[in-house]
Amino acid sequence: MFKNTKEKILSKAEELFCLKGYEKTTIENILESCEIGKGTFYYYFKSKESLMNEVIENSIGSFTDDAKKIVNDKNLSALEKFKQLILGQTNSMDNKEWMLNELHKPENSKMHQKSITETILHLTPLLTAIVEQGISEKTFNSKFPKETVEILLFANQYIFDTGIIVFTVEEYLIKAQAFVYSMELLLGVKSGTFNYILEHFENTLLNRGGLNEKELQ
């Protein structure tokens, strides 16, 4: 199941972080779950914090590997690839709430910044390739594909990261509408092309109890 002991520790630790939360998960919990001794743990990791760092890096790397498969799929149009990659990325982070909670803590600010930077660096070439395909298919229109993707990624990472700036639910909803509208203009697609992004955002707010049905009318 696992290629090596280190992979097992990373996998079991992520399971425990999701189940118990990072703070409540002890090294002893991890040792017991992995059926290893302290010496083995400290051979691979200096501390629980260094372990969490690698879990986060692996999470970004795992998503990138999945995203590359989408980008390289010759049977998909650019619009289909864009949708799969964007929704895949947002769903991936929705399922790692424990990770977001830890990254938003003041003591993890450096790690938080690193996760944002790494996400942008990994996603930029993938989304750029999709946009360039879309330009050739005449469904996208942009003079600066890479730069436009970078601008959108930076805006998304900072505007919608609740660990950086906190807005009211109503403000988030308006900013989401403005963001999707801006995306469509900057990438030169038809109006309404990215409505699924707004719908996903609204559903996320509903599921977290931050929005009610009436506010979506």
Side-chain angles (χ1 to χ4, degrees), residues 159-208:
I159 293 173
F160 299 110
D161 190 321
T162 56
I164 297 176
I165 304 175
V166 179
F167 299 108
T168 66
V169 171
E170 292 75 14
E171 287 173 330
Y172 273 122
L173 186 55
I174 293 172
K175 291 181 190 305
Q177 293 169 344
F179 182 73
V180 170
Y181 175 76
S182 300
M183 277 185 69
E184 292 176 344
L185 287 179
L186 289 171
L187 293 173
V189 300
K190 292 181 180 179
S191 177
T193 297
F194 298 141
N195 279 351
Y196 60 84
I197 298 176
L198 184 58
E199 291 170 3
H200 177 84
F201 186 84
E202 292 171 345
N203 288 333
T204 299
L205 287 177
L206 279 170
N207 292 335
R208 291 179 180 176

Side-chain angles (χ1 to χ4, degrees), residues 23 49 102 104-111:
E23 291 294 343
E49 182 179 350
E102 291 305 319
H104 289 163
K105 292 181 177 179
E107 61 268 28
N108 292 330
S109 59
K110 288 184 179 179
M111 195 187 313

Side-chain angles (χ1 to χ4, degrees), residues 6-134:
K6 184 176 183 179
E7 183 182 278
K8 182 178 182 180
I9 296 172
L10 287 165
S11 178
K12 293 292 185 180
E14 182 170 0
E15 287 178 11
L16 288 169
F17 293 160
C18 290
L19 181 66
K20 299 166 65 72
Y22 174 77
E23 291 294 343
K24 292 183 179 180
T25 298
T26 65
I27 289 179
E28 285 69 27
N29 293 149
I30 297 169
L31 298 180
E32 183 178 343
S33 180
C34 296
E35 298 180 328
I36 58 172
K38 277 190 176 182
T40 302
F41 177 88
Y42 286 109
Y43 175 79
Y44 293 105
F45 306 99
K46 293 181 179 180
S47 62
K48 191 174 73 167
E49 182 179 350
S50 68
L51 169 60
M52 181 172 68
N53 276 338
E54 276 206 50
V55 169
I56 292 171
E57 290 173 2
N58 278 6
S59 177
I60 295 173
S62 177
F63 170 75
T64 300
D65 290 340
D66 291 339
K68 285 179 180 177
K69 294 177 184 177
I70 295 172
V71 174
N72 294 328
D73 190 336
K74 296 181 180 180
N75 296 316
L76 296 176
S77 68
L79 288 174
E80 290 170 330
K81 290 180 180 181
F82 199 91
K83 182 175 183 178
Q84 287 192 25
L85 196 153
I86 293 297
L87 292 184
Q89 197 265 342
T90 51
N91 287 330
S92 174
M93 293 314 298
D94 285 346
N95 293 329
K96 296 183 183 296
E97 192 168 347
W98 73 267
M99 188 181 294
L100 294 176
N101 290 337
E102 291 305 319
L103 290 174
H104 289 163
K105 292 181 177 179
E107 61 268 28
N108 292 330
S109 59
K110 288 184 179 179
M111 195 187 313
H112 188 192
Q113 182 62 47
K114 180 180 179 181
S115 73
I116 291 174
T117 302
E118 289 298 314
T119 298
I120 292 172
L121 289 175
H122 280 76
L123 286 181
T124 294
L126 300 175
L127 285 171
T128 299
I130 294 174
V131 173
E132 289 174 341
Q133 178 186 334

